[in-house]
Amino acid sequence: MKDNAVNPSQSPKVNVTDSLIAEMVLDQALNAFREQQIQKEIDQSLENQNKEEFLRLTEELKNLSAV
């Protein structure tokens, strides 16, 4: 019976550049998703005429966009 375990000397090497690019893409996707969430919450705060929530959310959106 053959051993199906991966031999560490034969495993593919992790390309640092590819890992960094993947991390950047993931970060951008998460930021875009959070921005959309905040926009929806801002719209809701406007509908509810909740000034404090609106100000808090717009500040959060500004901070997220600055990153």
Side-chain angles (χ1 to χ4, degrees):
M1 183 174 198
K2 277 188 169 180
D3 185 13
N4 288 333
V6 175
N7 183 345
S9 65
Q10 294 177 345
S11 64
K13 294 192 178 182
V14 175
N15 184 330
V16 175
T17 304
D18 289 345
S19 294
L20 289 173
I21 291 171
E23 186 176 343
M24 289 171 58
V25 168
L26 182 58
D27 284 344
Q28 287 177 340
L30 290 172
N31 281 343
F33 177 75
R34 182 62 187 138
E35 284 180 13
Q36 289 175 350
Q37 280 185 316
I38 294 171
Q39 289 287 357
K40 288 178 184 177
E41 291 176 28
I42 287 172
D43 291 344
Q44 188 65 43
S45 69
L46 288 170
E47 285 179 23
N48 295 337
Q49 298 179 354
N50 186 340
K51 183 178 180 179
E52 289 177 11
E53 186 73 359
F54 172 80
L55 293 173
R56 183 188 70 76
L57 290 165
T58 54
E59 189 65 30
E60 185 177 344
L61 184 59
K62 282 192 280 186
N63 291 335
L64 187 62
S65 297
V67 173

